[in-house]
Amino acid sequence: MPEFVKAISAADLAPGQGMEANVAGKAVAIFNVGGAFYALSNTCLHRGGPLGEGQLQGKVVTCPWHGWEYDVTTGKTVQNPNTGVACYAVEVRGEEVFVSLG
């Protein structure tokens, strides 16, 4: 069974927003899409841009460096769904958001 680690408080991330978090020493981008939370690797495949700083529209985040787009529900790039970043399991327990890197 995967180990879940507390990442953020749900109140810290409004719907339609994303943020960066350090989860067990790993940079993770966490997004709130209409009250559902998703977590991805924070590192864009193109040039390593921080996805947690990107603009979120619907379920798509745009890397702030060069505009690559990712579906936050899958981690796949919009332009080529055969590629993507790691997508992590998320659980909300009360007011806390937990992420499993396993």
Side-chain angles (χ1 to χ4, degrees):
M1 179 166 230
E3 178 183 348
F4 283 85
V5 178
K6 181 184 176 223
I8 63 169
S9 293
D12 291 339
L13 188 58
Q17 300 295 310
M19 68 184 297
E20 298 171 288
N22 183 319
V23 179
K26 185 168 186 67
V28 175
I30 302 176
F31 302 95
N32 181 338
V33 179
F37 290 85
Y38 300 93
L40 305 175
S41 168
N42 192 46
T43 306
C44 178
L45 294 175
H46 178 232
R47 297 276 177 149
L51 296 178
E53 294 179 15
Q55 289 290 327
L56 182 64
Q57 293 191 344
K59 63 179 188 169
V60 175
V61 65
T62 301
C63 178
W65 286 8
H66 299 107
W68 279 36
E69 297 177 318
Y70 295 84
D71 180 330
V72 301
T73 66
T74 64
K76 302 297 183 187
T77 60
V78 173
Q79 296 85 349
N80 180 359
N82 293 320
T83 63
V85 295
C87 187
Y88 306 114
V90 174
E91 286 185 358
V92 178
R93 300 176 188 166
E95 293 298 315
E96 307 298 331
V97 178
F98 289 77
V99 174
S100 173
L101 299 177

